[in-house]
Amino acid sequence: MKPGEELPPLRIPITRTLIVAGAVASRDYQDVHHDAELAREKGSPDIFMNILTTNGLVGRYITDHFGPGAVLRRVAIRLGAPNYPGDTMTLTGTVTEVAGDTATVRVVGANDLGHHVTGTVTVTVEVAR
């Protein structure tokens, strides 16, 4: 880990199943995450991903890169453009700071509409003994 290190991009196809399953798994039953007709009535072209699913995908991106010893210490994200069914979100990351076994990573998740998620993740990489 060193400042400036870039994580390889992760492309995630955004499917209707992913959106609905993520909402149900996080107990977010708002209709805009599972009912396309009601989402359209509320002004959205379709259902869209909730922040808890996005948070989980960002966490997965970091732990997949840093390995089984990775422990997320802080995740601070902000949503932007929605993720709709049929989109592909590409997660990218850059290590911005390293202190001992802890790194801060700037993360961006983008789709064709723009940045879906931006933020930082602080991760500690514990060495196996």
Side-chain angles (χ1 to χ4, degrees), residues 14-24 26 28-54 57 79-87 89 111 113 116:
I14 308 302
T15 64
R16 190 166 300 278
T17 300
L18 175 62
I19 293 169
V20 173
V24 170
S26 61
D28 183 349
Y29 303 116
Q30 288 194 12
D31 50 24
V32 294
H33 303 307
H34 65 84
D35 188 317
E37 184 177 323
L38 290 174
R40 282 190 286 277
E41 285 178 17
K42 293 181 177 183
S44 178
D46 205 338
I47 62 171
F48 54 91
M49 183 175 283
N50 72 355
I51 191 169
L52 296 170
T53 303
T54 300
L57 292 171
L79 291 183
N83 269 338
Y84 294 116
D87 288 342
M89 177 175 65
N111 60 35
L113 296 175
H116 169 69

Side-chain angles (χ1 to χ4, degrees), residues 51-85:
I51 191 169
L52 296 170
T53 303
T54 300
N55 194 63
L57 292 171
V58 167
R60 168 195 159 196
Y61 177 58
I62 298 298
T63 58
D64 281 0
H65 177 75
F66 287 100
V71 177
L72 301 178
R73 298 295 181 189
R74 181 174 183 269
V75 178
I77 61 171
R78 170 174 251 150
L79 291 183
N83 269 338
Y84 294 116

